[in-house]
Amino acid sequence: MTKYRSKLEEKVVADLHERGLMPRYEPCSIPYTMTSYHSYTPDLQIGDVFVEIKGYWSGPDRKKFLAFMRSNPDVKIFVAFQDPKVKLYRDSRTTLGKWATDKGIPWCQTPIPPKFIQAWLDGERITQTLPHEVPKVSRKPGT
């Protein structure tokens, strides 16, 4: 049995299994460069598409993800947010979804919509966008 790092990852995988998709969990490490050589391990792989699943997303982790994307522009990857309306930090006016959109990071909300994942499997790099809504306060672990 696979040991997931979060209940959210477990929930997303279960939903994908119910739809007949068989994602591989933490399938590989992909090199990237920040100030030195690093490797990034995406949460899931479905076909040739990688998925990063995020509830809380810290500033340093967002920075690493941007460096990964810049180093690997041909890698098909999107982020699945538990709640894209969560603020980056307590007093931020920016939500996770807006930040990702502004940085050119494709994303969707969990559960991953069937049409969304199918579009990615068909080679389209689509993304969701947020309507104008009041952002929620960021949820940090332990607070």
Side-chain angles (χ1 to χ4, degrees):
M1 184 172 177
T2 302
K3 180 81 172 159
Y4 298 100
R5 294 180 190 265
S6 73
K7 291 286 184 190
L8 178 59
E9 291 175 348
E10 188 174 346
K11 190 175 178 180
V12 169
V13 169
D15 178 65
L16 293 169
H17 281 170
E18 285 179 18
R19 292 191 257 152
L21 296 170
M22 303 306 285
R24 294 181 347 170
Y25 183 68
E26 293 188 343
C28 60
S29 291
I30 303 170
Y32 73 96
T33 305
M34 210 153 136
T35 53
S36 61
Y37 173 83
H38 298 277
S39 64
Y40 193 86
T41 304
D43 292 324
L44 302 177
Q45 183 178 5
I46 307 166
D48 64 345
V49 176
F50 294 96
V51 182
E52 185 62 30
I53 301 167
K54 290 294 179 194
Y56 173 72
W57 204 5
S58 70
D61 286 345
R62 292 191 310 269
K63 188 175 180 178
K64 283 189 263 185
F65 191 81
L66 282 174
F68 165 78
M69 287 194 64
R70 287 185 190 118
S71 295
N72 297 280
D74 295 330
V75 171
K76 296 179 189 175
I77 188 166
F78 68 87
V79 178
F81 289 121
Q82 181 176 23
D83 185 352
K85 294 176 280 187
V86 169
K87 290 182 179 183
L88 296 182
Y89 52 89
R90 179 173 291 228
D91 296 324
S92 177
R93 291 183 175 199
T94 304
T95 62
L96 289 172
K98 178 162 179 14
W99 181 86
T101 298
D102 290 350
K103 299 296 182 185
I105 298 170
W107 65 271
C108 69
Q109 185 167 355
T110 62
I112 300 170
K115 288 182 180 179
F116 189 91
I117 191 66
Q118 190 57 56
W120 272 81
L121 292 171
D122 292 342
E124 295 178 56
R125 294 188 179 202
I126 64 171
T127 191
Q128 288 185 337
T129 56
L130 282 174
H132 296 287
E133 294 184 25
V134 177
K136 295 180 180 179
V137 175
S138 176
R139 292 184 294 268
K140 284 190 176 181
T143 59

